[in-house]
Amino acid sequence: MSDGVVRPETPVYSEPVPNGAADRGGDGNRSPVRRRRRLLSASTTRAEKARALRGLGVLGGVAGLLVALMVLPTACTAGVNARDSARWFDSVPADLDTSGVPQRSRILAADGSVLATFFYQNRVDVPLTAIAPSVRKAVVAIEDSRFYQHGAIDAQGTLRALASDLGSGEVTQGGSGITQQYVKNLLLTQADTTEERDAAKEISAARKIRELRYAVAVEKRYSKDEILRRYLNIAYYGAGAYGIEAASRRYFSKHASQLNLAESALLAGVVRYPFAYDPTRHPEAARKRRDTVLQRMADLGYITQATAAATERQPVKLDVQDVKSGCVTSTAPFFCDYVQRDILANPVFGKTAGDREKLLKRGGLTIRTTLDRRAQKAAQRAVDAHVPAKNSAHKAAAEAMVEPGTGRIKAMVVDRKLGSDKVRGKTWINFAADADHGSSIGMQAGSTFKVFTLAAALDEGLPFGTRLMAPKEYTPVGYRNCKGDRVGDPGASLHNAGDGEGGKPFSIVTGTQHSVNTFFLALEKKVGLCETVKMAEKLGMKQATGKPLQQYPSFTLGINPVSPVRLAAAYAAFGARGRYCSPIAISQITNAAGHRLKVPGAHCNQAVDKDTADAVNYVLRGVLTKGTAAGQGIGRPAAGKTGTVDNFSAAWFAGYTPDLASAVWVGDPRGGYQHPMSDLCMDGNCYGPVYGATIPAPIWHQSMIGALAGTPASSFVRPPSNFFSKGSGEESAKLPDVRGMKVGDAAAKLRGAGFTVQIGDPVKSDYPKGTVAEFSPSSAQPGDTITLRPSKGGGGHKPRDEAGGPRHGIPG
């Protein structure tokens, strides 16, 4: 009879003989035919002889002890010592722990689909009702046919096995019933150290007595059905499958409740020697073993001889399902890795790193995440399309998507596969995440950081029309950090990037649209470096290494290395009208018992005043229509900011709608300053210098359209009028000539161009009555008010052009 020990996948015997005699297990049936090593022979070494003799000594000792233990209950009246020994053996051991065995944990997307599985042992614990009756019968028949009749110790089977082992000089038959097998597997499964595992497997009288004592306690604590259930859920079935449910899915891609007789017999037969009877490696041996189980079931009357014969004629039909542990094979590998690190690094999930790893890989957790499959696919397609994994320029790209108002990470992608960077197209580094969630030390953010200076300025009440001189070069002096220290370099000269301008005044709106470096240095000085830093910190920004942000004048130009996920969460706050939520990837965790575990929340707060956020949105919308990312609109209200890092060492785009925010980085993992994108050619496409609008913005454009497909468009809120106290901030534009048009048509045309319209008093004019006779002013900025004066006819008022001169001819 098999002892049911969880064995490593190496053959215990040389190999099954394909055409050997009947191969039956349990109740005296013969073990597989094999080449048997004799205890002593001419070729036996001295060390081998010593080990063999020690083994025989152990077997003899165990035999004597077992005989004594079996008669202890009946010998209790023989004296005090016998009575005390019986009580000790019959008592429940204080250290007996029959808590749940290791089970695999699963990471799920928001829709419940599986992203990854984690396990030490691939096991899914199921109730007895979820296991086909044919499995239960097959296992009892081949492993312990008197299971429901005997107690913890089967005297007949144990003595018979010991006699056979002692007679042959080696272990030829197991003497353990199902209860003892369960105990042995349990002790081995619970072993955490090498010493504990060795102790659980050693051949010694002490170990056997311990197991027998535990078996007695288990029989007292649980019913036979419960012991069988536990055994079926702990036994090893080969190929990394622990427990009947995992084995059923592994070999047949079905639940254990759906197994038919042939499949049940096959799995019942595998347990004895999981490697030798693995049907994927030794199909013929597995089939012979299956037929042995079927015959044993017929001998015991569990099935008829006719049923056994008919089933034996069936071929072995496998439908193998390969379950991998970890994130490497996940459809969202870097997001999966983010979740894994979230659990392994957070003390909420265990006091020590070892405790947290044990929970993840043994706790049978169901981890539901925030990942949106549609957004993930859209982001991955966009990144891969623009920066292929094995591109000729060795560049990389990463994107993170965050939901405004909740902090839920909807997508996280890298243009690589998860794996060793020694293989081209792979990396272990998650460029989308911080160091504690992906080993990345971050990348300089470039002009995407100008949004914090913009928000600080608007928060101080500066209107859109506030204008500052933006010189072509700027000396950064006169700044103080949050400690009050002067910072700056009088010898430095900062200038505008290639996509900026300088040498003239800009408003807050136009300076942002054109991403003018010297304008933002001046604006940062006006509102205060510390105020700008504090604004960024309120929106969750810190260096990707976890360190505080560096406070220098070039802060607004994006000198700090950050991650896409943290930048996306900051921009998401503007989409949520100033409500910031820290990014989260886990929404719910339940353990194997179905109980919810505590999960850290997003910690949302109103970080920025709503009016300020609305004003930021108003300004950043223009970046997509008139600014550095013009033409990258997505067909719904959206806002964003390009970012080009000094020397073209990297490029960014961060953008958002009220429903979704995203940040995209493109650069070189080998080092951006050593490998700049100043004259980039990649896979036959040449871009010249790469700005935020060159590659990152198109990635954002494509991914956002895909991620938001089917989602109704939401609108931004128009900022209050005080921000327009100095006009819209736009450059003045010549108005279209609407004279002679019907008043309603003229008003509609002007409103469509972004102006506000009011109707003045009618005037006498040669224009037809009811049409526009005059309008003023003749040039204005969008948002300004235009006054229309209708004609009341009667002549006497010559039409004049916009410059004030008389207009020749009257429109027909």
Side-chain angles (χ1 to χ4, degrees):
M1 196 181 306
S2 167
D3 61 5
V5 178
V6 178
R7 295 177 172 82
E9 291 199 68
T10 54
V12 177
Y13 303 103
S14 40
E15 62 182 6
V17 177
N19 58 355
D23 178 18
R24 298 182 183 177
D27 298 304
N29 298 310
R30 295 193 295 171
S31 59
V33 177
R34 60 196 178 276
R35 302 187 198 94
R36 186 179 295 169
R37 287 194 63 187
R38 302 308 302 168
L39 183 61
L40 300 175
S41 67
S43 61
T44 304
T45 66
R46 181 175 298 178
E48 288 174 331
K49 292 175 182 177
R51 284 196 296 271
L53 291 172
R54 285 197 299 270
L56 284 174
V58 168
L59 287 170
V62 172
L65 285 168
L66 288 177
V67 172
L69 289 168
M70 289 172 192
V71 300
L72 270 175
T74 62
C76 289
T77 58
V80 174
N81 288 338
R83 182 187 64 221
D84 291 344
S85 296
R87 287 177 177 173
W88 171 84
F89 186 76
D90 207 36
S91 63
V92 177
D95 60 342
L96 176 61
D97 179 12
T98 58
S99 58
V101 295
Q103 297 187 55
R104 66 186 189 182
S105 297
R106 298 182 304 156
I107 295 179
L108 310 179
D111 63 2
S113 58
V114 178
L115 295 176
T117 305
F118 289 86
F119 51 81
Y120 282 128
Q121 298 178 351
N122 179 22
R123 178 184 287 107
V124 181
D125 199 78
V126 292
L128 200 61
T129 54
I131 302 172
S134 58
V135 175
R136 296 177 246 164
K137 291 178 181 179
V139 169
V140 170
I142 200 66
E143 292 294 325
D144 190 355
S145 64
R146 297 189 338 103
F147 172 65
Y148 282 95
Q149 283 76 51
H150 65 69
I153 304 171
D154 182 5
Q156 295 178 20
T158 300
L159 289 174
R160 181 184 61 246
L162 282 169
S164 175
D165 292 343
L166 288 170
S168 65
E170 61 182 344
V171 180
T172 61
Q173 294 187 18
S176 303
I178 284 176
T179 304
Q180 292 178 50
Q181 292 182 50
Y182 163 65
V183 167
K184 185 173 292 186
N185 279 276
L186 181 66
L187 294 175
L188 184 58
T189 298
Q190 292 176 343
D192 289 325
T193 65
T194 302
E195 292 74 15
E196 290 175 346
R197 284 189 287 272
D198 290 342
K201 293 186 293 183
E202 69 175 352
I203 300 177
S204 68
R207 190 211 75 182
K208 193 67 180 179
I209 299 305
R210 181 188 182 206
E211 289 176 1
L212 290 171
R213 188 181 177 214
Y214 280 9
V216 171
V218 166
E219 290 267 357
K220 283 186 174 184
R221 181 176 295 185
Y222 302 115
S223 68
K224 286 286 189 178
D225 280 351
E226 176 60 15
I227 295 171
L228 179 61
R229 183 196 75 81
R230 287 169 173 261
Y231 171 69
L232 290 171
N233 278 298
I234 203 173
Y236 181 53
Y237 292 83
Y242 292 82
I244 189 65
E245 178 68 14
S248 181
R249 297 186 192 183
R250 163 65 179 164
Y251 294 117
F252 302 111
S253 296
K254 61 171 64 174
H255 294 291
S257 61
Q258 300 170 317
L259 292 169
N260 59 35
L261 177 59
E263 295 162 345
S264 298
L266 183 83
L267 294 183
V270 166
V271 175
R272 187 172 187 183
Y273 300 121
F275 179 86
Y277 296 130
D278 181 343
T280 64
R281 295 177 175 177
H282 307 292
E284 187 58 32
R287 178 172 180 166
K288 288 181 179 296
R289 178 64 174 167
R290 179 202 68 177
D291 295 347
T292 297
V293 175
L294 290 168
Q295 188 57 53
R296 181 62 179 162
M297 294 176 74
D299 292 344
L300 293 169
Y302 293 167
I303 59 175
T304 66
Q305 287 289 350
T307 299
T311 308
E312 287 175 19
R313 289 193 294 270
Q314 296 179 17
V316 174
K317 295 181 179 179
L318 302 179
D319 184 5
V320 178
Q321 181 185 89
D322 193 15
V323 179
K324 298 291 187 182
S325 179
C327 296
V328 172
T329 58
S330 173
T331 54
F334 290 94
F335 177 82
C336 170
D337 187 61
Y338 186 97
V339 173
Q340 176 185 203
R341 291 170 186 259
D342 213 9
I343 293 174
L344 295 180
N346 197 325
V348 169
F349 300 109
K351 292 182 179 180
T352 68
D355 291 339
R356 296 189 287 271
E357 183 176 9
K358 191 173 181 179
L359 175 66
L360 175 62
K361 294 184 178 179
R362 305 180 71 165
L365 305 180
T366 299
I367 306 162
R368 189 174 290 272
T369 70
T370 59
L371 185 108
D372 183 307
R373 283 280 195 182
R374 180 175 57 190
Q376 178 73 14
K377 289 179 181 178
Q380 193 69 63
R381 287 195 194 104
V383 164
D384 291 345
H386 291 84
V387 188
K390 299 179 181 179
N391 66 80
S392 60
H394 303 282
K395 303 308 176 191
E399 181 174 15
M401 291 181 163
V402 176
E403 184 176 61
T406 68
R408 294 172 184 160
I409 301 172
K410 292 296 185 178
M412 180 176 287
V413 302
V414 174
D415 73 322
R416 297 282 193 275
K417 293 184 182 298
L418 188 63
S420 172
D421 57 9
K422 294 180 180 178
V423 179
R424 190 178 175 199
K426 292 185 177 183
T427 182
W428 288 118
I429 300 175
N430 185 351
F431 297 114
D434 285 351
D436 61 348
H437 279 79
S439 302
S440 172
I441 60 173
M443 294 74 69
Q444 287 189 329
S447 295
T448 58
F449 253 49
K450 290 174 180 174
V451 71
F452 304 119
T453 307
L454 170 66
L458 295 172
D459 196 52
E460 289 190 4
L462 271 65
F464 297 139
T466 301
R467 303 180 76 82
L468 296 173
M469 182 64 187
K472 291 186 176 180
E473 293 188 356
Y474 193 96
T475 301
V477 293
Y479 296 83
R480 291 182 182 273
N481 62 21
C482 291
K483 293 181 179 179
D485 302 329
R486 290 185 179 274
V487 291
D489 184 357
S493 180
L494 302 178
H495 54 84
N496 294 304
D499 56 346
E501 303 173 27
K504 63 179 182 180
F506 289 88
S507 70
I508 285 179
V509 171
T510 56
T512 303
Q513 288 177 357
H514 296 280
S515 195
V516 184
N517 286 352
T518 55
F519 171 83
F520 271 93
L521 287 165
L523 185 62
E524 181 184 58
K525 186 174 181 179
K526 182 176 181 66
V527 301
L529 170 60
C530 183
E531 283 67 24
T532 296
V533 171
K534 286 181 177 179
M535 177 61 70
E537 290 176 339
K538 286 194 295 184
L539 293 168
M541 295 309 303
K542 60 183 178 181
Q543 293 188 63
T545 57
K547 295 180 180 179
L549 296 168
Q550 301 175 70
Q551 300 180 24
Y552 298 104
S554 51
F555 178 91
T556 192
L557 306 183
I559 60 168
N560 281 282
V562 300
S563 67
V565 69
R566 194 165 291 279
L567 190 64
Y571 272 71
F574 296 117
R577 301 192 71 198
R579 179 178 170 81
Y580 172 75
C581 299
S582 57
I584 58 169
I586 301 173
S587 59
Q588 178 183 305
I589 298 180
T590 55
N591 62 18
H595 300 140
R596 286 194 180 187
L597 303 184
K598 183 180 179 182
V599 174
H603 307 296
C604 300
N605 67 289
Q606 191 68 36
V608 180
D609 182 78
K610 288 183 178 181
D611 291 345
T612 299
D614 293 338
V616 170
N617 299 337
Y618 174 86
V619 175
L620 292 189
R621 288 186 67 179
V623 173
L624 291 167
T625 56
K626 304 175 183 178
T628 52
Q632 295 297 333
I634 57 175
R636 63 175 69 209
K641 183 70 188 72
T642 54
T644 306
V645 183
D646 187 40
N647 196 40
F648 299 103
S649 58
W652 291 75
F653 188 83
Y656 58 97
T657 74
D659 304 301
L660 188 65
S662 166
V664 179
W665 164 84
V666 176
D668 198 306
R670 299 169 298 176
Y673 286 99
Q674 291 78 20
H675 305 277
M677 298 186 291
S678 54
D679 190 16
L680 178 66
C681 285
M682 182 169 58
D683 294 347
N685 297 316
C686 291
Y687 300 91
V690 175
Y691 300 97
T694 309
I695 299 176
I699 291 175
W700 177 87
H701 171 90
Q702 179 181 335
S703 61
M704 288 288 283
I705 289 177
L708 291 170
T711 302
S714 300
S715 299
F716 294 114
V717 176
R718 183 176 174 84
S721 59
N722 60 287
F723 288 105
F724 295 94
S725 61
K726 291 187 177 181
S728 67
E730 299 281 0
E731 299 290 351
S732 296
K734 189 175 182 180
L735 272 65
D737 189 353
V738 294
R739 289 175 297 181
M741 296 177 61
K742 291 182 178 179
V743 173
D745 293 341
K749 186 172 184 178
L750 291 171
R751 290 191 183 105
F755 300 98
T756 301
V757 177
Q758 69 178 15
I759 309 301
D761 295 332
V763 295
K764 286 186 177 181
S765 170
D766 290 336
Y767 286 102
K769 184 178 181 180
T771 63
V772 176
E774 298 176 354
F775 64 91
S776 62
S778 59
S779 64
Q781 297 175 348
D784 289 352
T785 300
I786 309 301
T787 302
L788 300 179
R789 293 183 176 81
S791 171
K792 59 181 179 181
H797 185 84
K798 293 289 185 183
R800 307 177 70 84
D801 62 21
E802 290 86 344
R807 182 174 178 179
H808 302 285
I810 299 175

